[in-house]
Amino acid sequence: MATEQELSDFLKSVEKRAFKRCVYHVRDEEAALDIVQDSMMKLAEHYGDKPPAELPLLFQRILSNCTLDWFRRQKTRRALFSNLSDFDGGDGDGPADFDLLESLAATVDTRETESAEDSTRRAQVFHAIEAEIAALPARQREAFLLRYWEDMDVSETAAAMGCSEGSVKTHCSRAVHALGKALKAKGIQL
């Protein structure tokens, strides 16, 4: 059984990554924030009494389901209403307040020893990677993010996505090859 503190610590540890993953899916920051908050509330309400080890997989599954629900609602709204401008969510013009660099836990602060040119080049590479991840097909992006950002194994990813382990491996492989090809075309070698 997770204590309130364990549940709170878990939610704090996943909020930024969950938000970024959700933004990749729905391409709307306000909707992504709502989806993540809904997911956190559902986890706390319905599964707060589960052991802490079960929380990551439960949360990922809830987040996936809430995202799918959002897409279903959008589809229904488009079918029911002819004027989509009433439902335009967000301006999409400004940069996101969340930065990939914040989510990476650096063991050494390199800002003092890194030149401005290196810092700018690193930021450009991260933005290029983010753009290519966002351009992946939805299932490939989801499998890639769960496996490599959330550090889930194949079986956990399959359970969170509601598909077979073979499908996860296929989606991940295709995502890695597509990202590698796209980044290589931009002259980025990792």
Side-chain angles (χ1 to χ4, degrees):
M1 294 252 208
T3 64
E4 275 188 47
Q5 186 61 43
E6 289 172 327
L7 181 62
S8 177
D9 290 344
F10 168 74
L11 292 175
K12 285 178 187 175
S13 73
V14 298
E15 69 181 334
K16 288 183 180 181
R17 288 191 322 255
F19 173 72
K20 192 63 164 185
R21 176 181 157 208
C22 209
V23 167
Y24 280 139
H25 286 294
V26 301
R27 303 182 195 285
D28 179 348
E29 290 181 8
E30 290 178 20
L33 185 59
D34 290 342
I35 292 167
V36 171
Q37 288 176 343
D38 270 355
S39 300
M40 289 180 165
M41 292 298 295
K42 288 179 181 180
L43 179 73
E45 288 174 17
H46 302 289
Y47 301 102
D49 59 343
K50 296 288 184 183
E54 293 180 20
L55 295 178
L57 187 56
L58 286 168
F59 179 72
Q60 294 306 325
R61 187 63 183 186
I62 292 169
L63 184 62
S64 293
N65 288 339
C66 286
T67 303
L68 288 173
D69 291 344
W70 182 85
F71 279 114
R72 287 183 192 115
R73 285 192 301 274
Q74 295 306 307
K75 184 177 179 181
T76 303
R77 285 181 181 146
R78 278 188 224 109
L80 293 175
F81 301 101
S82 60
N83 188 357
L84 292 179
S85 64
D86 293 342
F87 299 98
D88 186 18
D91 57 358
D93 295 332
D97 291 334
F98 176 77
D99 184 10
L100 175 64
L101 299 176
E102 288 180 31
S103 68
L104 299 174
T107 55
V108 178
D109 188 2
T110 60
R111 288 178 290 181
E112 294 175 9
T113 59
E114 184 176 54
S115 71
E117 181 181 352
D118 290 339
S119 177
T120 301
R121 186 177 305 122
R122 184 170 44 86
Q124 289 172 341
V125 168
F126 278 122
H127 289 297
I129 291 170
E130 282 185 317
E132 292 303 327
I133 290 172
L136 288 172
R139 294 295 278 179
Q140 287 180 20
R141 183 175 53 244
E142 182 177 16
F144 180 82
L145 292 174
L146 288 173
R147 286 281 290 129
Y148 302 112
W149 267 17
E150 300 298 332
D151 201 27
M152 291 183 167
D153 63 28
V154 174
S155 62
E156 291 173 332
T157 303
M161 291 178 64
C163 64
S164 70
E165 291 182 16
S167 293
V168 169
K169 291 176 185 177
T170 300
H171 290 311
C172 283
S173 175
R174 289 178 181 167
V176 168
H177 288 294
L179 287 172
K181 185 178 177 181
L183 294 174
K184 188 175 182 179
K186 290 183 175 188
I188 299 172
Q189 298 279 332
L190 298 177

